[in-house]
Amino acid sequence: MTMISESIKSTIQSRLLEMVESRHELIKHAKFLSDLGISVKESRLYIGECFESVAENYLFKICSNLSAQHAKGTPAKVSLNSDWYKVITNRNRRESFAEQFWSPTDDDLDADKALIGLYLAEVQFDAIVSSINEQVGGLEEKGLNILANKIIDRLNLKCERHYYEPYKKAGRIICQTWSVNYHDAYSKIDELVALKDAFSIIENESGVSFGVAISEYISAINELNWSRAKISSRSAFGKGGHLEIVCFKEKHEYRFSIQAFNALVAFLMLNGEAEAAHRIIEKTGLQEAA
């Protein structure tokens, strides 16, 4: 861990040195242009904020790359407590330390360079590396739990109210959701894409295909506009598949085959939502069906 910590520290140190030199040149040229009568706005870049921005940008890239590698297609992300590197501007800062970055040193490159060591000595690199390692180890598990929760929320599977609870009818488990219109379509698309990703994982794990319903449904919502604000009542997507989505004026229904819904419930059980899964089984009568 110490070697990794030192590697991250060394890279940020190199980037800070490049930033300090570039900042110095920018301020010098901005002053020259100002003397010629050309006003250059935002030429004074506060050195402390610059330090923190360089560190944040590099650490964000590390976290993004690790998220892509270890989340396995789930929405989980590696993230860091900004207090560990925003040691100049955060509310827990030591005033005596932070004050050293407030005095302008725009004409003194060596003074700016000297601040790099002071800043790096305060950054909690061991905590950063420890947090990254801890998160990476359980990232896929965390992501699957996020997807399980998105299924529960989107399909109204909390079973806390009688209105819009799931129920069984004609060999299908029906999950009722609020209708989507043009005005909230943008915000709903992200939710539906996450739901589609969850369905894909369930398909891969169970071998049950959910068909094209969710893809067709998302496409229909994308086509909504001010003159056609809602999907036409009685519109159906994925008809005949393990999942059908049927739209009515005030609600949209996800109609699962027993086989598909069993696969969905199994996914919830395996990914941290066993309590919710048991409530759903009780509400829908799947126990009796089995």
Side-chain angles (χ1 to χ4, degrees):
M1 184 184 296
T2 302
M3 290 180 62
I4 297 173
S5 176
E6 286 300 320
S7 175
I8 293 175
K9 181 178 180 180
S10 177
T11 302
I12 291 178
Q13 182 177 24
S14 298
R15 295 188 175 199
L16 289 174
L17 180 59
E18 293 172 347
M19 177 276 292
V20 165
E21 292 173 342
S22 296
R23 175 182 174 276
H24 186 76
E25 288 299 311
L26 174 61
I27 292 171
K28 182 173 70 174
H29 289 299
K31 186 177 182 301
F32 177 73
L33 289 171
S34 181
D35 291 341
L36 294 175
I38 301 171
S39 177
V40 182
K41 296 181 179 179
E42 305 297 335
S43 62
R44 182 187 171 109
L45 305 170
Y46 291 100
I47 190 72
E49 293 178 359
C50 290
F51 278 20
E52 292 178 345
S53 294
V54 169
E56 183 171 48
N57 179 263
Y58 177 64
L59 292 171
F60 176 79
K61 288 179 179 177
I62 289 177
C63 290
S64 295
N65 290 335
L66 289 172
S67 297
Q69 292 172 28
H70 297 279
K72 304 292 179 64
T74 72
K77 297 183 185 301
V78 176
S79 61
L80 294 171
N81 183 344
S82 63
D83 286 351
W84 292 335
Y85 55 85
K86 289 193 173 182
V87 293
I88 302 168
T89 62
N90 74 44
R91 62 185 178 183
N92 298 319
R93 68 192 178 200
R94 289 189 296 109
E95 293 298 322
S96 59
F97 165 74
E99 284 172 359
Q100 299 174 85
F101 297 83
W102 295 343
S103 301
T105 58
D106 296 344
D107 296 324
D108 191 341
L109 179 59
D110 289 334
D112 284 351
K113 288 181 178 179
L115 292 174
I116 295 175
L118 295 176
Y119 169 72
L120 292 175
E122 293 291 317
V123 176
Q124 299 180 51
F125 287 104
D126 286 343
I128 288 169
V129 173
S130 177
S131 178
I132 288 174
N133 288 338
E134 182 179 347
Q135 291 179 68
V136 163
L139 199 62
E140 184 181 8
E141 180 182 352
K142 177 184 176 182
L144 291 171
N145 181 250
I146 290 172
L147 289 177
N149 274 285
K150 287 184 179 296
I151 290 172
I152 291 169
D153 289 342
R154 183 60 198 159
L155 298 181
N156 289 322
L157 298 178
K158 291 184 179 179
C159 301
E160 294 173 347
R161 298 171 299 187
H162 293 296
Y163 193 57
Y164 278 13
E165 283 186 350
Y167 66 96
K168 186 166 70 172
K169 181 180 178 181
R172 292 256 171 181
I173 302 297
I174 299 174
C175 299
Q176 306 171 91
T177 67
W178 303 104
S179 62
V180 180
N181 61 50
Y182 170 63
H183 302 289
D184 63 2
Y186 182 80
S187 62
K188 296 301 181 185
I189 289 296
D190 286 344
E191 295 178 21
L192 291 168
V193 169
L195 190 63
K196 180 183 176 182
D197 291 341
F199 287 168
S200 294
I201 292 173
I202 295 171
E203 286 179 328
N204 291 336
E205 291 180 351
S206 67
V208 179
S209 173
F210 283 60
V212 298
I214 188 73
S215 296
E216 291 180 352
Y217 182 54
I218 292 172
S219 295
I221 293 172
N222 271 321
E223 291 172 2
L224 295 176
N225 53 57
W226 65 271
S227 62
R228 182 173 174 268
K230 287 189 174 184
I231 297 173
S232 301
S233 185
R234 300 287 176 178
S235 295
F237 306 100
K239 195 168 183 179
H242 281 291
L243 169 62
E244 299 175 351
I245 300 176
V246 182
C247 300
F248 299 96
K249 185 177 179 180
E250 300 299 332
K251 66 179 180 179
H252 292 175
E253 293 184 349
Y254 291 71
R255 299 178 175 181
F256 295 89
S257 69
I258 298 297
Q259 186 180 2
F261 201 75
N262 275 331
L264 185 150
V265 170
F267 177 82
L268 299 181
M269 284 186 169
L270 290 170
N271 293 293
E273 297 301 327
E275 185 178 340
H278 286 302
R279 286 199 305 270
I280 296 162
I281 289 171
E282 183 181 351
K283 288 287 183 181
T284 56
L286 286 176
Q287 231 164 6
E288 290 82 350

